[in-house]
Amino acid sequence: MKIAVGTKDFETIVPHGGRTRRFLVYEAEAGTDPVETGRIELAEAEVLHLCGDGRPHPIDAVRVVIAGSSGAGFVAHMKRRGIEPVTTTETDPVRAIRGWFAGTLEPAPEPEHPHEHDDGEGRGH
């Protein structure tokens, strides 16, 4: 299955999934090592926090999205697209995918101020 991991630098998991513009895409199954198969780099207008549900989106090709903390809006948005949203405190993409399959992935706490967040690139909203 295809799993996208939100990242700010194509190495570590981004703290907020709804504002990230970069995703590592992995092909993974339980019991096997995840294999990076691609990358998604979104235009500013395509970030998931701003993009509506009614049009196709590059993230639609995956079944799971893993990111750091994300608000209820991001979670609902992903579910409406048929994508399982997963939040985590883990910063390593491969360890996060392994932990998700094993059921041991530490979830990220919900943000205290869902509309006062930073996208990991120094810009708030």
Side-chain angles (χ1 to χ4, degrees):
M1 92 173 56
K2 287 192 184 288
I3 299 173
V5 179
T7 177
K8 61 183 173 182
D9 56 6
F10 291 118
E11 292 182 21
T12 56
I13 296 176
V14 73
H16 189 278
R19 294 290 300 173
T20 189
R21 294 178 58 196
R22 296 175 188 97
F23 293 86
L24 292 167
V25 179
Y26 291 86
E27 188 66 43
E29 298 296 334
T32 64
D33 280 333
V35 175
E36 184 182 335
T37 59
R39 294 177 175 192
I40 298 172
E41 190 147 4
L42 303 174
E44 182 67 31
E46 292 178 310
V47 296
L48 297 167
H49 186 78
L50 302 175
C51 185
D53 290 328
R55 62 181 185 197
H57 191 276
I59 204 74
D60 293 341
V62 306
R63 291 196 44 214
V64 176
V65 170
I66 299 176
S69 67
S70 296
F74 173 78
V75 169
H77 182 68
M78 291 295 90
K79 287 181 178 180
R80 284 191 299 270
R81 288 185 170 278
I83 299 169
E84 180 178 348
V86 176
T87 64
T88 184
T89 58
E90 176 60 62
T91 58
D92 180 84
V94 171
R95 283 197 306 255
I97 293 169
R98 287 179 185 151
W100 178 74
F101 276 115
T104 60
L105 188 61
E106 184 72 30
E110 289 200 29
E112 292 181 31
H113 305 287
H115 292 290
E116 296 176 19
H117 51 259
D118 187 336
D119 66 359
E121 295 180 358
R123 294 183 308 265
H125 128 99

